[in-house]
Amino acid sequence: MTSISIKSKAIASGVVRDPDVVREELRESMHHCRLGTLKLFESMDDATFRCQVHPDFSPVGWHLGHIGFTEGLWLLERGAGIAPLFPQYRQLMAQDGLPKHQRVKLPPLPEILDYISAVRSQVFAYLKTADLEKQERIWRFILQHESQHTETIAFILQLQKWAMGKGEEAIGDASKLPTQSVPIPAGEFWFGSDGPDALDNEQSPQRLYLPDYTIDPYPVTCEQYRQFIQCGGYQTRDWWSKAGWDWLQGAQVTQPLYWREELAFNHHPVCGVSYYEAEAYTRFVGKRLPTEAEWEKAACWDPVTQTQRIYPWGDEFPTQDRCNHDNQQAQTTPVNRYPQGVSAYGCYDMMGNVWEWTSSWFAPYPGFKPYPYPGYSQTYFDQQHRVLRGSSWATRPWAMRGSFRNWYHPWMRQILAGFRCAGGSD
């Protein structure tokens, strides 16, 4: 992969945005984002609210309170210079306040709802006078912060359902899927983003050259993955890397976490796989995982116009007819259900449904500068986290774009993750 230093199109365009328009856009986005957050807590019982279903994740109630705490910290305390509204919550709700297992000692849901509502009222009052020419980036960060924690809440609730044996019914299975890989010709493309919502790890944009390669038009489906299971994939050492095999001996799993055996799920993407499982499957079929650069080119580069799209389908905001996102289905859907969301190269489901593992380690781009604090991304540039791209059925639209980078340890299976295969040059 070769990097070529050229100014990004966003910088070169010199677009100046009206602060009042930005102000109203932020208010509307934050309002609608909060409605989706609160919907997840409708009719929730106290046990679910404070249950720690997995040692790696906090209770959903903590995530709700943490959303309010972080919003108040960055927008009111550090932005407006206002004293903390509820200092008694600082240790409980801060990211570094308490170990996860101690976060079950939560105030009741109505109290947390009052807390985040009071913070939001102050935030919207401050938004009327905030200097968005200087602060827009932190406001957009907070909007995405809530979006990301809402997704975490959604998959924790999914974990709780699966722990109780409550799966979902398959949604509208599809006709037979073509299996021919999509050729991606060699050439340069734009990679990364410096848009107003770009997180620190997406910057700085660059031109990259990639040799030709192929990528599958769909994520790997349950029907395809079943062959791996039935052929002894979890018992055959040859398909696994050393790290993957070592993990498997300890994990003692024989199928994905969210596995459904029913044939009605044949054309749904496999979901709940670790990086190691994804890697083993690609070896089983004689392919590999794409790099994150290969994934982004296949998803968002338009070879006809030679321009970078924000989303696979273009620059229009995600809608329910383009991809499975924002908890609209609350589960996976067939991989070819959204033809209006196809990329310029003909790839489906590169947004929504399941996150997709790539072979790339999470690492900084050239020119990286931490924001809003080093611990957001920089701490994880440790050669211990693999990059996932795309989004899932639970991802909120404000945290979706082709340049967005997710990252997890390669053994994580609880996240709503699948993968697609690539071939050719690496």
Side-chain angles (χ1 to χ4, degrees), residues 109 145 174 245 264 325:
L109 174 57
H145 177 268
W245 187 251
H325 72 293

Side-chain angles (χ1 to χ4, degrees), residues 4-312:
I4 302 173
S5 178
I6 303 176
K7 287 185 178 180
S8 78
K9 64 178 183 181
I11 293 174
S13 65
V15 175
V16 177
R17 288 144 40 85
D18 185 336
D20 289 335
V21 173
V22 174
R23 203 179 312 277
E24 183 58 27
E25 178 193 338
L26 284 169
R27 192 183 190 287
E28 284 296 305
S29 294
M30 294 175 76
H31 171 68
H32 287 292
C33 183
R34 180 58 53 85
L35 291 178
T37 301
L38 296 178
K39 187 174 179 61
L40 293 173
F41 290 87
E42 291 179 355
S43 304
M44 182 177 292
D45 60 65
D46 188 69
T48 300
F49 181 71
R50 63 183 68 251
C51 173
Q52 187 186 23
V53 69
H54 188 278
D56 287 341
F57 301 101
S58 302
V60 294
W62 179 87
H63 286 277
L64 182 64
H66 176 70
I67 287 169
F69 169 78
T70 305
E71 186 172 303
L73 174 66
W74 288 98
L75 300 183
L76 299 181
E77 294 181 42
R78 301 190 181 183
I82 297 174
L85 299 182
F86 297 84
Q88 68 271 27
Y89 290 140
R90 181 172 294 273
Q91 183 180 26
L92 174 59
M93 298 303 180
Q95 185 71 40
D96 56 356
L98 292 174
K100 290 183 174 67
H101 70 274
Q102 292 185 22
R103 295 172 178 174
V104 299
K105 301 173 183 178
L106 293 163
L109 174 57
E111 188 173 324
I112 297 296
L113 291 175
D114 288 344
Y115 166 50
I116 66 171
S117 177
V119 171
R120 175 54 61 86
S121 294
Q122 288 272 22
V123 163
F124 277 174
Y126 174 54
L127 179 59
K128 296 175 182 178
T129 58
D131 184 355
L132 294 182
E133 291 186 4
K134 295 180 180 179
Q135 295 184 10
E136 180 183 358
R137 189 178 183 190
I138 192 63
W139 284 80
R140 293 196 179 279
F141 174 84
I142 291 300
L143 174 59
Q144 292 181 76
H145 177 268
E146 177 165 348
S147 298
Q148 290 169 299
H149 278 273
T150 305
E151 178 165 2
T152 302
I153 291 165
F155 75 67
I156 291 173
L157 293 175
Q158 177 89 333
L159 274 174
Q160 290 177 312
K161 286 182 181 179
W162 278 81
M164 295 183 291
K166 296 180 180 179
E168 305 288 349
E169 295 296 324
I171 294 177
D173 209 357
S175 57
K176 186 173 178 60
L177 303 174
T179 57
Q180 187 173 0
S181 294
V182 175
I184 310 293
E188 297 177 358
F189 73 109
W190 280 111
F191 183 62
S193 173
D194 62 356
D197 55 357
L199 300 174
D200 60 359
N201 60 70
E202 297 172 65
Q203 302 182 35
S204 293
Q206 56 196 295
R207 289 278 287 188
L208 294 180
Y209 171 85
L210 292 178
D212 59 352
Y213 62 98
T214 62
I215 194 165
D216 285 1
Y218 307 106
V220 171
T221 64
C222 291
E223 180 179 34
Q224 292 171 316
Y225 199 87
R226 187 179 293 110
Q227 298 174 22
F228 177 67
I229 297 174
Q230 293 177 346
C231 290
Y234 282 88
Q235 294 78 39
T236 306
R237 171 68 181 84
D238 290 349
W239 308 129
W240 299 79
S241 65
K242 181 182 184 306
W245 187 251
D246 290 346
W247 166 80
L248 184 62
Q249 301 319 294
Q252 291 293 301
V253 298
T254 57
Q255 62 187 31
L257 178 59
Y258 302 120
W259 180 249
R260 298 298 298 266
E261 191 58 49
E262 300 95 319
L263 298 183
F265 284 89
N266 271 359
H267 294 156
H268 287 234
V270 64
C271 183
V273 292
S274 67
Y275 169 86
Y276 296 132
E277 291 166 282
E279 180 186 45
Y281 174 89
T282 63
R283 291 181 177 181
F284 170 72
V285 296
K287 296 183 179 182
R288 61 179 176 82
L289 289 172
T291 66
E292 63 170 322
E294 290 173 333
W295 188 97
E296 187 169 329
K297 182 177 182 180
C300 293
W301 186 244
D302 188 329
V304 175
T305 62
Q306 291 289 293
T307 56
Q308 179 191 39
R309 297 176 174 182
I310 298 175
Y311 310 101

